[in-house]
Amino acid sequence: MIGILSTSRSDWGLLLPVKKALEAMNVETRVYGPVRAEGDVPSDIARTMGLNMIEHASFQPRPRLVLCLGDRHELFSIVTCAFLNGIPIAHMHGGEKTAGSYDDIWRTGISTMATIHFPATELSLKRLMDIGIKDNLHMVGAIGADGLKKRKRQTNNSEALLMLYPQTRGEYINPAFMALS
């Protein structure tokens, strides 16, 4: 059985086609989700991480491998439990960079604990190698791109939505925010 770690609707939309593909190959899957505390100040984040570590401490039922995507603190705490239980971890989208965000810390930690890596770009692959990850690197591209291609075939709409995430730490100001103001 392969465990799929999902922490939100945003990663679930990307992981669902992977889950369906695995099941089409007769691979049993089980989705593991997070426990959340209310709020987003550092003490709330720490409480959420602690709750997730308690919830997933023994990782039952035990998967042969866990597959995860991204960089959230909830994911980091669940991946830590898998790592401590000796469960191999496959990480998608490692090596990415988010300036002014805690996400880089979580993503790097997840990548460091992972045994199989699926970076989306050559630059992400290089970043993983720069932090000492040399084995089991498989650049597969951004899995969301397949969904965009499918959606483009379904509509004649030529508009696009650009999403910019606010910083979560430090003094960094995204130049894109400045260009929009």
Side-chain angles (χ1 to χ4, degrees), residues 13-128:
L14 297 171
L15 289 167
L16 183 58
V18 176
K19 179 182 188 301
K20 288 179 179 179
L22 289 168
E23 289 172 347
M25 296 184 293
N26 294 318
V27 175
E28 181 185 356
T29 63
R30 181 168 199 263
V31 177
Y32 297 84
V35 177
R36 285 199 176 83
E38 294 297 318
D40 58 2
V41 299
S43 60
D44 297 327
I45 292 170
R47 187 171 18 269
T48 294
M49 292 175 73
L51 291 170
N52 278 298
M53 294 193 80
I54 292 167
E55 177 69 21
H56 299 286
S58 62
F59 239 102
Q60 294 301 320
R62 184 184 174 89
R64 290 185 334 210
L65 172 118
V66 293
L67 174 67
C68 63
L69 181 150
D71 52 26
R72 299 283 305 160
H73 61 275
E74 300 97 337
L75 182 63
F76 177 84
S77 55
I78 299 170
V79 166
T80 299
C81 292
F83 178 79
L84 292 172
N85 279 284
I87 300 168
I89 300 153
H91 185 210
M92 302 172 77
H93 284 262
E96 294 182 358
K97 185 83 175 145
T98 310
S101 171
Y102 285 115
D103 294 349
D104 285 341
I105 296 164
W106 312 130
R107 187 184 310 105
T108 300
I110 293 165
S111 291
T112 302
M113 290 184 278
T115 49
I116 304 169
H117 306 271
F118 299 105
T121 66
E122 289 286 343
L123 182 56
S124 296
L125 178 82
K126 181 184 179 316
R127 286 187 187 123
L128 288 171

